[in-house]
Each structure stands twice: as structure tokens, then as C-alpha cells.
Amino acid sequence: DAGVTQSPTHLIKTRGQHVTLRCSPISGHKSVSWYQQVLGQGPQFIFQYYEKEERGRGNFPDRFSARQFPNYSSELNVNALLLGDSALYLCASSRGQGIGNTIYFGEGSWLTVV
Amino acid sequence: QQQVKQSPQSLIVQKGGISIINCAYENTAFDYFPWYQQFPGKGPALLIAIRPDVSEKKEGRFTISFNKSAKQFSLHIMDSQPGDSATYFCAASLRGAQKLVFGQGTRLTINP
């Protein structure tokens, strides 16, 4: 079975632009989460969606938004990009919520803002 | 209270030695403690995880030790191999929530 897949793998954007990152969870997984990993640091939680509803939001500005589609895939949108948004954006999926639901990560989308 | 503190930042171990990475947390509501391994250019991969009702969990060469009263947990890698060279992250989550709080990471280098 395919793991969590993300696209694009690398992209370069200019300050002030908008970016959309996409994620396909593991087949059968209904929960998708997004994390931001700045170089040299641990991933930071941005959003979690389960059954197409937002179930958790991290401490990120409103420029960050996400949604989950009926097929459980998800996209993360970031508006008005800042240099500080340069990071690896990780998508993770799990079968459901609660104890026993292992979280699996994709390989991420590298975003560089210039 | 939501922080997980990880040490050391970097660690060099000789092949065959024991690698030990430590983490501490404040929030006693955390109830799931996974360790992730991340190679350069890759996403984090789950290595081993523990719940606070057990003090130790072993899978192959990897062992988690958990001290609930001290609010600390650690990863031990026995017989460390050059292929174990990677960055390791501890994490914690609240009551089975899908939000993971990660430590800062430990860059492990195993010298041949």
C-alpha cells in the first residue's frame, strides 16, 4: 500500500504570494494532520481534520488554512507568504482518532520563500 | 505546559555502543509518547511508542524507559549501528488526540 503522499515535493515562492500544498492519506485513513518543520527543529502542529471537519488547530496565523475533501485527501493553503514560512510542510494520516491510531508522516513539501 | 524538552541536541556514539536520548514533559495529561526517526530529506517514521501505564517497552534494539513520577522518558538504542545515524524526535499527545507535541530533536551519529 502507498504511504502518505504529498505534492509538490519542492517549491519556491516569492514573499506575498499564495501556496497550496496537497496530501493523499494512506488508503483507509480518515484523519489528516499538517505540521510545519523549520530546519533544525521538531515539527509543529498546524491543523488536524477528521471526517472532513477541523478537529484541531495549532498556534498559527489566519494566513494558514486547510480543508479535507470527501476522498479524505487534504490541502494546506498559506496566503501572503513571509520569509519565515520557509520550512518543510509535513502531512500525516491515521485511521481514526483516539488511542491506538498510529500517525504516519509523508516525506513533506519543501517550501522556500524568497 | 505543552512543551517536550529533549536532550542532548547531538550525540556521537561508537558502533556497538548504547545511544541514550532523554525527554521531559510538564503536562500530566499527555498519555501517548512516541519516538520518531528522521533521515535527511525524509519525513519522520514511527520507531516505538509507549503509554504511561508501563515503565518500559522493548522492540528489537530499541527500548523506551518511562518514569511517570519524574515526567521523563528516554530512548535507548542498543548495539548502535551506522545505519542508525539520523535525527530522533520524542513526542507526546493528549488523550489520544492526533496532535503531537515534538521535542527539539537529537542528531545521532554512529561512528564505524
Side-chain angles (χ1 to χ4, degrees):
Chain A
D1 281 344
V4 178
T5 57
Q6 294 186 240
S7 64
T9 53
H10 294 81
L11 69 166
I12 300 173
K13 291 285 189 178
T14 304
R15 273 181 301 175
Q17 284 190 316
H18 163 271
V19 68
T20 298
L21 307 177
R22 294 178 175 83
C23 172
S24 293
I26 293 170
S27 178
H29 286 195
K30 298 182 178 180
S31 173
V32 170
S33 303
W34 288 94
Y35 289 77
Q36 180 196 64
Q37 186 175 20
V38 173
L39 202 61
Q41 296 183 22
Q44 290 225 304
F45 174 79
I46 310 175
F47 286 110
Q48 187 229 339
Y49 279 78
Y50 178 67
E51 289 284 15
K52 292 153 281 183
E53 288 187 8
E54 183 182 304
R55 299 300 181 103
R57 174 184 284 252
N59 189 22
F60 280 81
D62 291 343
R63 300 184 295 108
F64 289 76
S65 64
R67 54 179 174 166
Q68 186 177 33
F69 299 100
N71 66 353
Y72 303 108
S73 68
S74 176
E75 65 179 32
L76 175 71
N77 294 282
V78 187
N79 292 324
L81 285 167
L82 302 174
L83 295 179
D85 295 331
S86 296
L88 176 66
Y89 288 85
L90 294 162
C91 177
S93 78
S94 62
R95 191 167 294 277
Q97 295 220 111
I99 292 174
N101 284 287
T102 301
I103 297 171
Y104 298 92
F105 284 86
E107 298 201 343
S109 293
W110 285 97
L111 171 65
T112 301
V113 182
V114 298
Chain B
Q1 262 217 326
Q2 292 293 319
Q3 281 187 322
V4 176
K5 294 184 179 179
Q6 183 172 347
S7 63
Q9 274 191 306
S10 63
L11 180 63
I12 299 174
V13 175
Q14 292 300 117
K15 180 183 173 182
I18 302 173
S19 304
I20 302 174
I21 304 170
N22 301 298
C23 284
Y25 64 97
E26 289 294 323
N27 192 339
T28 55
F30 285 144
D31 68 348
Y32 175 67
F33 302 89
W35 284 88
Y36 282 83
Q37 179 189 56
Q38 187 175 31
F39 292 105
K42 302 290 186 181
L46 179 67
L47 202 56
I48 187 173
I50 198 168
R51 301 204 184 277
D53 52 344
V54 298
S55 60
E56 186 175 280
K57 183 174 181 180
K58 185 176 181 180
E59 290 184 2
R61 296 185 295 110
F62 301 93
T63 300
I64 300 180
S65 297
F66 188 85
N67 186 330
K68 190 173 181 177
S69 60
K71 292 185 282 187
Q72 294 175 348
F73 58 111
S74 59
L75 175 70
H76 291 64
I77 305 174
M78 312 300 286
D79 188 26
S80 299
Q81 299 296 312
D84 297 330
S85 297
T87 299
Y88 292 80
F89 292 96
C90 61
S93 70
L94 282 164
R95 294 194 178 88
Q98 300 309 97
K99 172 185 175 181
L100 290 169
V101 179
F102 281 86
Q104 299 91 324
T106 296
R107 190 168 188 174
L108 175 64
T109 302
I110 307 300
N111 283 335

